[in-house]
Amino acid sequence: MATTESSSVELTGSSAGYSPENPAPVIEPPRARTQKTPRASRTNFEMHGWLFMRLSGIVLVVLVIGHLVLQLVLDGGVQKINFAFVAGRWASPFWQIWDLTMLWLAMLHGANGLRTIINDYAERDTTRFWLKMLLWTATVFTVLLGTLVIFTFDPNIR
């Protein structure tokens, strides 16, 4: 444990070695503002995206833990999961909505996280644009295909 002479605050952990004579290293932002960067936007899209990430994360934790407990503990374990099990499960609208909600939230949560990473680390505008187009195309394709499979699943397929 280190103490500073000018104050009575004891520093512990990783900040113990820093002082006014030995300041902590400054972490540069991944992409700094330029003259072309607008000072402020008229929308709160980033704030809504941030809030969506927190709320969808909480709902996803409940859905995924509920899914795992039901599948692995109450329904007899992973060895019971096969085509007939999925067919029986998706015969109920409750499980269709449960799985659909999990699919949509997981895809939108992951896509929003990747969008943030692309915005932070893709330096050129064209690179950022095409990476986000690829991301949104893959997200829309996966969500539509998953929704189609959940609602048109036919257990009598041959």
Side-chain angles (χ1 to χ4, degrees), residues 4-158:
T4 59
E5 293 177 9
S6 60
S7 69
S8 63
V9 176
E10 291 186 20
L11 299 175
T12 60
S14 63
S15 62
Y18 302 120
S19 65
E21 296 82 27
N22 183 25
V26 175
I27 299 174
E28 296 292 329
R31 192 162 46 99
R33 287 188 171 273
T34 63
Q35 290 184 349
K36 294 186 338 186
T37 305
R39 291 248 177 235
S41 64
R42 293 176 185 241
T43 65
N44 286 329
F45 181 76
E46 291 298 328
M47 185 192 73
H48 292 121
W50 181 87
L51 189 60
F52 171 76
M53 293 297 278
R54 272 65 188 167
L55 296 176
S56 66
I58 291 169
V59 174
L60 274 170
V61 166
V62 171
L63 289 173
V64 169
I65 288 176
H67 175 84
L68 290 175
V69 167
L70 291 172
Q71 298 286 316
L72 300 178
V73 177
L74 300 178
D75 278 343
V78 74
Q79 64 271 11
K80 288 187 77 176
I81 298 174
N82 56 22
F83 186 82
F85 179 85
V86 174
R89 185 177 157 114
W90 280 352
S92 165
F94 175 79
W95 290 116
Q96 286 179 328
I97 298 299
W98 182 293
D99 288 347
L100 183 74
T101 305
M102 228 170 24
L103 170 73
W104 277 63
L105 282 179
M107 282 305 299
L108 294 176
H109 185 94
N112 194 32
L114 278 175
R115 181 192 62 81
T116 303
I117 291 171
I118 290 169
N119 280 340
D120 284 348
Y121 291 104
E123 293 186 6
R124 292 193 300 170
D125 289 341
T126 54
T127 304
R128 193 175 320 118
F129 172 79
W130 286 112
L131 285 174
K132 285 199 279 189
M133 286 298 110
L134 181 66
L135 172 68
W136 292 124
T137 302
T139 301
V140 167
F141 177 76
T142 304
V143 164
L144 289 179
L145 185 63
T147 303
L148 183 70
V149 167
I150 288 173
F151 286 115
T152 62
F153 183 75
D154 183 11
N156 299 320
I157 195 167
R158 294 180 190 233

